[in-house]
Amino acid sequence: MSAPDQTDPHGPTPAARARRARIAAAGLLMAAAAVVLALRLASRSSVLVVGVYGLLLILCGVVIELSRRGRTRLGTWLLAAGLAAALVMDGVVLS
């Protein structure tokens, strides 16, 4: 006895596409934050800057998990707010 075919002929739903887009955006931001963090560590920046980018990495992970669970709007707002806060803090601490 075979299992019924679970594939949808029309492709993923808009909600599924939104979840994948948020996961991809958070993953890209996580990679960018890791690169900036590595550059800041190499230039011996302030510990506060390193902490800010470390928190941004954690926030990206939280956003990915929220998106996997279907909370894409909350994840989007957290991602935008976290990125803005990290950029502001980086500018404040480095200036």
Side-chain angles (χ1 to χ4, degrees):
M1 179 177 216
S2 66
D5 190 20
Q6 297 292 330
T7 59
D8 184 14
H10 302 292
T13 64
R17 286 194 303 267
R19 282 192 298 272
R20 288 184 187 146
R22 296 323 184 277
I23 290 171
L28 288 173
L29 182 59
M30 184 181 269
V35 168
V36 173
L37 179 60
L39 292 173
R40 295 290 190 230
L41 285 172
S43 69
R44 304 208 188 268
S45 287
S46 168
V47 175
L48 290 174
V49 173
V50 173
V52 166
Y53 284 103
L55 288 174
L56 183 61
L57 286 170
I58 292 169
L59 180 68
C60 287
V62 169
V63 169
I64 289 171
E65 186 59 29
L66 284 172
S67 294
R68 285 185 57 234
R69 294 176 186 246
R71 305 295 297 173
T72 55
R73 287 187 191 125
L74 176 61
T76 301
W77 282 106
L78 282 175
L79 193 62
L83 178 61
L87 292 175
V88 167
M89 286 301 297
D90 188 359
V92 167
V93 172
L94 286 179
S95 62

